Amino acid sequence: MILNDGYKHCSLKINNTLGLNINTRFLFVAKNRETILKAWRFSKFLKLPFLTLGEASNVLFLEDFNGVIVLNRIKGIKISENHKIWKLHVGAGENWHCFVKKMLTKGIFGLENLAWIPGTVGSVPIQNIGAYGVELKDFCSYVDVMHLRNGSIKRIYSDECNFSYRDSIFKNKYWTDFVIVAVGISLEKKWQPILTYKDLKYLNPISAWDIFNEIFIIRKRKLPDPKIIGNAGSFFKNPIVTQKKATLLLEYFPAMPHYPFINNQIKLAGAWLIEQCNLKNLYVGDSAVYHKQALVLINKGHATPQDILCLAKEIRIRVGRQFDVWLEPEVRFIKSTGECNAIEMIS
Ligand code: FAD
Ligand code: EPU
């Protein structure tokens, strides 16, 4: 079979931010919906697994992928407005950070707290990206998904997206057989800086650019640049516990950072728990806990998926034994046949 937009036996080493030496049986780079549909039909024809990726900044490949991967590169930004709101319709394959910066350049403010997050626009609703006091859900008005079986487009409005901390409907109901093709974003024309995150409290911003620049400094201080050190951002989610559990833990660890969460629950700082277990110097093979941010696992150069898996297992077990709090990966785990249950893999 001739593959016009596809490649056979492709390395994904430069296409995953952990920098793992992984191959895929087929790779398509889709600049339009037709190529995505073509890649999907191709995978069905060969009875192979199918996976859509943006920039693979939130995945851990456990082995070579024995199927068809399509990189979503559908571009385009449409801007409309009314007297109060900017309305943005953004192609799923746009780079998220470039889009945020482009909007700021046009004087369209509001997304600056979410600047510098790697990945594509199509991925941001999936885990409802969040940073420095805001989440995507605060600005998302809709998500357009394409049904792979017939190519039809369905618009899912924000109130149906079930957005919550690192979660949305796109991780379950609209997971198999759907691909996100565009995201709608609404931004108030009257700009209000959001300075609730502790490191931003003393900033006196004149414009969104001040926040944009400060976020760069904060992130540079804590997070490794994937172009230099392979990583996937926070490897684990911050754990959510009951009020009762938090109160018990605080009796023993009064300095433990904790934040109110929905439904009377408490969010803990996973990085703090890991650091308290003296795991900041922990490594397995060429993978290690990042010394500036314990929630981040890094590839020092030649880490294998198994190195990272063992490291994650060890962290989960040691934190679990000390605090009876069981960390769950934020990163999505991909086997040769497709996504698998990440918690099971490290339990
Ligand atoms: P990918 O890793 O390519 O894909 C993630 C998942 O979405 C996969 O399961 C994939 O199959 C699926 N997917 C991708 N595109 C589509 C599509 N179009 N349709 C359907 N499914 C799709 N995240 C935060 O929330 N906050 C942060 O502050 C943050 N900081 C980070 C810092 C660093 C240095 C790194 C490396 C990562 C960080 N992340 C952060 C995580 C990551 O950048 C985000 O989750 C990002 O949105 C992932 O985008 P991606 O395009 O790389 O997704
Ligand atoms: N801390 C430690 N040790 C560390 C790092 C942090 O003890 O090595 C403690 C500190 O007390 C600190 C607290 O943990 O105050 C929280 O740390 P930080 O502000 O760096 O944020 P985080 O909770 O570790 C989350 C997100 C990040 C996001 C930042 C900023 C998750 C899983 N991670 O990290 O998102 O950028 O907040 O809002 O929610 C990602 O999802 O990939 C990601 C990088």
Side-chain angles (χ1 to χ4, degrees):
M1 182 169 294
I2 298 165
L3 297 171
N4 283 333
D5 314 283
Y7 308 90
K8 227 175 158 179
H9 299 299
C10 250
S11 167
L12 291 174
K13 190 164 164 54
I14 57 158
N15 282 317
N16 73 103
T17 61
L18 268 165
L20 296 174
N21 201 1
I22 290 295
N23 300 297
T24 177
R25 190 144 158 204
F26 295 100
L27 181 74
F28 284 73
V29 181
K31 293 186 179 158
N32 51 46
R33 296 178 198 165
E34 290 67 40
T35 308
I36 298 179
L37 290 172
K38 195 162 125 186
W40 185 79
R41 285 188 204 116
F42 179 71
S43 73
K44 290 289 145 197
F45 177 73
L46 293 179
K47 296 191 172 52
L48 290 174
F50 175 85
L51 181 74
T52 314
L53 287 178
E55 293 175 10
S57 64
N58 210 29
V59 292
L60 168 65
F61 282 102
L62 298 174
E63 54 199 351
D64 286 346
F65 189 73
N66 185 28
V68 178
I69 287 183
V70 62
L71 302 181
N72 191 321
R73 295 294 178 265
I74 300 175
K75 304 277 182 178
I77 303 173
K78 287 184 204 141
I79 305 175
S80 57
E81 61 184 298
N82 63 27
H83 65 292
K84 274 175 91 175
I85 288 170
W86 293 110
K87 298 175 185 180
L88 315 172
H89 177 91
V90 196
E94 291 281 348
N95 172 273
W96 170 258
H97 170 72
C98 292
F99 156 67
V100 171
K101 194 171 175 192
K102 203 177 263 179
M103 292 308 101
L104 261 61
T105 310
K106 289 181 182 296
I108 300 177
F109 296 162
L111 296 174
E112 52 282 354
N113 296 53
L114 294 176
W116 311 102
I117 298 180
T120 55
V121 166
S123 312
V124 297
I126 299 174
Q127 73 156 7
N128 177 31
I129 58 161
Y132 309 104
V134 301
E135 287 184 331
L136 179 81
K137 72 169 167 50
D138 305 331
F139 314 100
C140 180
S141 42
Y142 60 82
V143 176
D144 285 349
V145 292
M146 179 168 71
H147 200 317
L148 291 164
R149 288 188 190 278
N150 55 23
S152 65
I153 304 292
K154 187 174 159 79
R155 178 156 294 182
I156 323 279
Y157 287 95
S158 187
D159 56 353
E160 307 162 71
C161 289
N162 295 350
F163 284 130
S164 61
Y165 171 62
R166 297 297 188 265
D167 201 15
S168 74
I169 200 163
F170 308 105
K171 281 193 176 178
N172 39 72
K173 185 173 170 194
Y174 292 108
W175 177 235
T176 330
D177 292 346
F178 291 93
V179 166
I180 293 171
V181 289
V183 177
I185 285 175
S186 292
L187 297 170
E188 300 270 346
K189 285 189 171 173
K190 189 170 178 295
W191 177 68
Q192 292 243 303
I194 297 166
L195 305 170
T196 47
Y197 182 77
K198 59 181 181 344
D199 294 8
L200 293 173
K201 272 207 175 104
Y202 302 104
L203 199 70
N204 223 338
I206 293 164
S207 89
W209 286 106
D210 294 332
I211 297 183
F212 179 89
N213 293 331
E214 190 63 24
I215 298 283
F216 176 71
I217 294 167
I218 298 172
R219 293 185 78 97
K220 205 162 183 245
R221 212 164 45 220
K222 298 182 180 180
L223 297 166
D225 178 350
K227 287 195 192 96
I228 301 165
I229 302 174
N231 77 95
S234 302
F235 192 88
F236 299 100
K237 290 188 262 193
N238 281 325
I240 314 295
V241 299
T242 59
Q243 178 85 57
K244 195 174 158 200
K245 172 90 189 171
T247 309
L248 188 70
L249 284 169
L250 282 163
E251 271 178 35
Y252 291 99
F253 309 99
M256 180 182 75
H258 58 288
Y259 318 94
F261 193 69
I262 49 163
N263 298 334
N264 217 16
Q265 300 175 96
I266 304 291
K267 194 200 262 187
L268 306 180
W272 187 88
L273 300 175
I274 295 171
E275 190 165 338
Q276 293 307 302
C277 296
N278 291 322
L279 300 179
K280 263 205 166 165
N281 296 320
L282 191 70
Y283 64 91
V284 172
D286 230 9
S287 74
V289 175
Y290 188 52
H291 64 291
K292 295 181 188 171
Q293 226 300 353
L295 217 46
V296 176
L297 305 189
I298 57 166
N299 173 2
K300 294 200 286 174
H302 301 284
T304 63
Q306 282 61 41
D307 290 343
I308 296 174
L309 201 60
C310 287
L311 182 66
K313 265 187 194 173
E314 190 62 28
I315 293 168
R316 179 174 152 96
I317 205 143
R318 294 230 213 150
V319 170
R321 278 190 194 142
Q322 176 142 345
F323 296 102
D324 193 25
V325 172
W326 298 87
L327 295 174
E328 297 183 3
E330 171 185 307
V331 167
R332 320 281 294 263
F333 286 21
I334 315 287
K335 288 216 288 203
S336 65
T337 50
E339 186 171 4
C340 58
N341 186 316
I343 301 174
E344 275 173 20
M345 292 304 296
I346 60 162
S347 296

